[in-house]
Amino acid sequence: MRGKALLQAEKSFITQTGIIFVVLALIPLISSGEFFVSTLCLSVIWAIMGIGWNIIGGYAGQVSNGHAMYFAVGAYVGALGLEWFGMSPWITMWVGVLLSMLLAFLIGYPLLRLRGHYFAIATMAIVECVRIICTNWNLIGGATGVSFFQRDMNSLYSLQFENRVPFYFICLGFMLVFIIVSRVIQQSKFGYYCRAIKANQDSAESAGVNSTFYKRWAYMISAAVVSIGGALYAQYIQYIDPVSLLPLSNSMLIVLIVVMGGIGTIWGPVLGAFIMTFINQYARALFNQLSGLNLFIYGVLCLFIVLFIPKGIISLFSGEKIKKLFRKTASEKRR
């Protein structure tokens, strides 16, 4: 019976994934406005970063407020590789992944011994140090940043397109891969141990789980996925600097996306990313005279979710709640 239930769950996941990605693929073909498609691209990039953070924060329960650092590593490696050596982002993004994982290993080795808010504060301090270093490091552009638009290269080689639609499909492909990776992790022994550590680290250790080992690997995988998001963002924006990549607000936005959508779930980061990005982009466009309105809306939404939907917006679409809604509707009809 257990095997049959697992098989049914996997079939349901494959069906959901197929339907969602077909819909997302059709959207830019139906409505191909430049601003709308650009917002879709950003949504998918932030969804990738949310999926990455969810591995360490949602599964392993370690709240990192410093993931903008790995976002910046991916962006800088992609940008500088293209600008200095003419290397395609298809290659440099994996260099960024390796560097991010190495950095996560070195930083995680001491920091992951901390717990709770101590770990969160330590990661904030680290990313602030990295921001100051990048701002004063003239070799990588310093505070001025790097502009790297390449007109003379093949668009597919440089990942820089005149039309955003091809780039959107590439980002969507990456998101599909990381959704599957997230599902595999969730269903694996690795994911089970991570959730055990999140529930009660002391109990997990007493049962023989090496918490340091699993947290470190969760942190490294998380950094790698966020780095890919940074590499895609760099090619999307075609200009990078420490102000746009390394403010604390970027790290907090990654966390907020996951918390809003549904922490520890597969689709929560995706849902949260699309909601947050569309609010941000359209609030700026429609109310450009009201600076900070998007942040105000973020705050209100965050308070609402914490108070009334603590499991995130994705919990509203859970099978149990839908069944309850149908039962309630059927009982009202009988009356």
Side-chain angles (χ1 to χ4, degrees):
M1 289 297 291
R2 181 177 171 77
K4 189 179 287 187
L6 288 172
L7 184 62
Q8 187 62 37
E10 291 307 311
K11 285 182 178 178
S12 177
F13 169 74
I14 292 168
T15 304
Q16 289 172 10
T17 304
I19 292 170
I20 290 169
F21 274 87
V22 166
V23 170
L24 289 175
L26 290 175
I27 287 173
L29 303 178
I30 297 168
S31 178
S32 57
E34 187 176 344
F35 182 74
F36 181 74
V37 176
S38 293
T39 305
L40 281 175
C41 289
L42 273 178
S43 300
V44 174
I45 291 168
W46 281 105
I48 290 169
M49 291 190 285
I51 292 165
W53 186 92
N54 195 44
I55 294 169
I56 183 68
Y59 297 157
Q62 310 303 303
V63 179
S64 169
N65 289 329
H67 265 51
M69 174 170 47
Y70 306 114
F71 172 54
V73 169
Y76 268 105
V77 171
L80 296 175
L82 190 62
E83 178 68 14
W84 290 352
F85 308 111
M87 292 178 67
S88 171
W90 291 107
I91 299 169
T92 55
M93 68 172 61
W94 302 111
V95 177
V97 164
L98 291 175
L99 285 176
S100 293
M101 292 185 76
L102 177 61
L103 190 60
F105 175 80
L106 295 174
I107 291 172
Y109 192 82
L111 290 194
L112 287 168
R113 297 176 185 276
L114 302 172
R115 299 193 191 184
H117 56 277
Y118 296 107
F119 176 73
I121 293 169
T123 54
M124 290 168 64
I126 291 288
V127 77
E128 185 62 17
C129 292
V130 172
R131 186 188 67 79
I132 293 169
I133 290 168
C134 291
T135 302
N136 293 281
W137 193 358
N138 292 327
L139 180 64
I140 61 171
T144 306
V146 181
S147 179
F148 54 98
F149 180 55
Q150 302 289 343
R151 293 179 180 274
D152 56 340
M153 291 183 178
N154 178 274
S155 296
L156 189 60
Y157 179 86
S158 65
L159 280 183
Q160 296 180 2
F161 302 90
E162 290 184 13
N163 188 324
R164 295 285 191 192
V165 174
F167 184 71
Y168 169 72
F169 284 117
I170 290 170
C171 293
L172 198 62
F174 275 102
M175 192 177 89
L176 174 60
V177 169
F178 291 130
I179 284 286
I180 294 169
V181 168
S182 182
R183 178 66 175 184
V184 170
I185 289 172
Q186 187 190 58
Q187 298 296 94
S188 68
K189 186 185 290 186
F190 175 81
Y192 176 78
Y193 286 157
C194 284
R195 290 194 296 275
I197 292 166
K198 176 183 177 181
N200 191 316
Q201 184 170 323
D202 292 329
S203 296
E205 288 176 348
S206 68
V209 176
N210 186 341
S211 63
T212 302
F213 174 84
Y214 288 103
K215 286 195 295 183
R216 189 180 300 146
W217 270 103
Y219 192 50
M220 290 166 64
I221 295 168
S222 176
V225 176
V226 171
S227 175
I228 293 288
L232 293 172
Y233 180 81
Q235 305 311 318
Y236 168 84
I237 208 75
Q238 295 164 13
Y239 170 78
I240 57 169
D241 67 337
V243 174
S244 61
L245 296 177
L246 286 162
L248 181 60
S249 59
N250 274 356
S251 292
M252 299 308 297
L253 185 56
I254 295 172
V255 177
L256 188 56
I257 279 169
V258 181
V259 171
M260 177 170 287
I263 191 167
T265 64
I266 297 290
W267 294 106
V270 177
L271 181 61
F274 273 79
I275 291 171
M276 296 295 283
T277 307
F278 270 83
I279 288 172
N280 184 31
Q281 294 298 100
Y282 279 89
R284 285 182 178 179
L286 297 173
F287 307 102
N288 56 358
Q289 301 298 322
L290 299 174
S291 178
L293 179 64
N294 56 319
L295 298 176
F296 173 77
I297 296 172
Y298 289 169
V300 171
L301 280 173
C302 189
L303 283 172
F304 180 83
I305 287 168
V306 168
L307 292 172
F308 302 106
I309 323 173
K311 292 184 179 180
I313 296 172
I314 198 73
S315 65
L316 299 176
F317 302 95
S318 67
E320 291 180 7
K321 291 199 173 182
I322 291 172
K323 285 176 184 177
K324 284 181 182 178
L325 181 64
F326 279 125
R327 287 193 202 111
K328 188 176 179 182
T329 306
S331 62
E332 285 176 356
K333 283 181 179 178
R334 290 192 201 103
R335 290 174 189 173

